Amino acid sequence: MDIRDVRFKVSAVAAAVVLVAGFLFYLQHRSSSGGDDPYSGPPATPGSPAARPGETRRIALNTQPSDYPRLKELGYDLVDAKPDDSLVAGVPDGMQALLWVGNFTCGSFDLDYGAFTRAVQRYGRNPKVYGWYLSDEPDTGRCPKIAGEIRRRADYIRQNAPGQVSFVSLTDWPMRQLAPRRVGVDLYGLDPYPCKGSADVQDSCNIGAIDRMVRLADDAGIPRAQVAPVLQTFGQSCSKGDKQYWLPTQAQFRKILARWDRLAPRPRLEISYSWGHQSEWACPSLADASGGAHPDLQSIMKARNTAK
């Protein structure tokens, strides 16, 4: 779930420098005063449970095999991995893998179509494989052809990997071309990150951002039963790139969970982003959030993941 913002190139022309500098100052001022304005539209309607109690699958993204024992202890039963024999074989008993074969926004897919079909042929009936991560924040507004590529890959999974799921993660870009009736994807991650506007902890998060994105998905024709909440478990105080998000406090995180529980209760899949560090986008992360210097979000997730 990479987070990308527009980059500005400053011209050598003096007038352009002044204009760009002024615009950057405006953006910086907005960020320092809270970032995006709080959502003031209508709330999303409550959702109905998508899974029976105890059947929600849970994954924390950006992990390594060395993380698996701790993740299992915290109640996660899925890991992210690439379609590689040693990585799939290394998934612990009681866990399965969501295999990354996707692309970011408008970029190239990690595997071309031929390599993708060979991977599905190899792992499509492997009991250690839960499903296939086909795309991260595809931008069909700028790149409309990406929907067709997702569709043919989801179709191939349906035909050749019985019982495994296709998955994409969406942000607040156009979603209509990616609805299930158009591309046949099984599960859709929605990734509003409410604690935005500063790398330093603020008094409150824009919880309404969750309602906004869920309503966008509703309007696009994505059923709630196919929504996979993406929980914000990262900040950017130690990242090298963006400084726009903070790691939620325990109280703020509980509000995020409560809103998701109202809008997408008992989802088939729930995602924590991010477990591991990403130098540009996620630092600190859930791996750090065990108390002391950071909020103890791990204990909250363990209680949530292991509740009967």
Side-chain angles (χ1 to χ4, degrees):
M1 317 288 178
D2 287 343
I3 303 160
R4 296 172 171 81
D5 290 314
V6 177
R7 303 290 188 254
F8 296 95
K9 295 183 179 179
V10 181
S11 168
V13 181
V17 170
V18 171
L19 289 173
V20 172
F23 187 54
L24 288 174
F25 175 81
Y26 166 73
L27 290 179
Q28 184 178 21
H29 175 72
R30 287 190 69 224
S31 295
S32 64
S33 61
D36 294 347
D37 292 335
Y39 174 68
S40 58
T45 58
S48 300
R52 288 180 292 189
E55 290 188 350
T56 298
R57 306 301 302 272
R58 304 179 188 277
I59 187 170
L61 296 178
N62 300 314
T63 63
Q64 302 294 328
S66 59
D67 300 319
Y68 296 169
R70 178 58 177 162
L71 292 167
K72 191 172 183 179
E73 182 182 342
L74 293 175
Y76 291 96
D77 57 7
L78 298 175
V79 299
D80 55 347
K82 291 190 174 184
D84 172 270
D85 284 353
S86 63
L87 294 176
V88 172
V91 175
D93 291 342
M95 304 184 86
Q96 289 179 299
L98 179 65
L99 297 181
W100 167 254
V101 291
N103 79 309
F104 296 105
T105 62
C106 293
S108 299
F109 282 79
D110 208 46
L111 300 180
D112 64 30
Y113 188 70
F116 165 77
T117 61
R118 290 191 294 273
V120 174
Q121 289 292 335
R122 187 168 187 85
Y123 301 110
R125 297 177 185 272
N126 191 311
K128 287 196 172 184
V129 174
Y130 168 74
W132 303 80
Y133 193 159
L134 296 182
S135 187
D136 187 0
E137 298 185 345
D139 187 352
T140 57
R142 290 192 300 127
C143 310
K145 291 182 179 180
I146 203 75
E149 186 60 31
I150 291 171
R151 180 174 60 247
R152 73 166 176 163
R153 293 178 184 230
D155 287 346
Y156 195 84
I157 291 167
R158 186 174 305 104
Q159 295 163 9
N160 296 278
Q164 296 179 2
V165 305
S166 55
F167 169 81
V168 297
S169 184
L170 306 182
T171 191
D172 54 355
W173 289 333
M175 298 181 185
R176 193 171 300 277
Q177 296 303 315
L178 295 164
R181 66 184 180 85
R182 293 179 181 268
V183 297
V185 167
D186 296 313
L187 293 175
Y188 293 80
L190 298 184
D191 65 3
Y193 299 129
C195 303
K196 180 181 180 182
S198 171
D200 298 321
V201 176
Q202 304 295 300
D203 291 338
S204 63
C205 302
N206 180 16
I207 302 298
I210 301 172
D211 291 76
R212 177 178 179 272
M213 194 172 292
V214 169
R215 292 190 71 242
L216 288 173
D218 288 346
D219 292 344
I222 298 172
R224 295 285 182 91
Q226 291 176 253
V227 166
V230 182
L231 310 177
Q232 182 180 350
T233 60
F234 77 96
Q236 294 181 332
S237 62
C238 57
S239 72
K240 295 179 181 177
D242 284 6
K243 301 288 186 180
Q244 293 296 304
Y245 298 83
W246 72 87
L247 184 69
T249 66
Q250 289 174 266
Q252 290 169 349
F253 191 56
R254 288 192 176 97
K255 289 182 179 180
I256 291 172
L257 297 178
R259 185 59 55 90
W260 272 120
D261 286 344
R262 178 178 183 271
L263 303 182
R266 293 206 305 268
R268 291 171 57 190
L269 174 66
E270 184 176 86
I271 300 149
S272 301
Y273 174 76
S274 166
W275 174 264
H277 289 177
Q278 290 182 304
S279 61
E280 294 289 319
W281 319 116
C283 183
S285 63
L286 185 56
D288 306 305
S290 57
H294 300 289
D296 186 4
L297 305 187
Q298 288 187 18
S299 292
I300 295 175
M301 288 309 303
K302 181 175 182 178
R304 183 178 181 83
N305 293 348
T306 59
K308 301 300 184 182

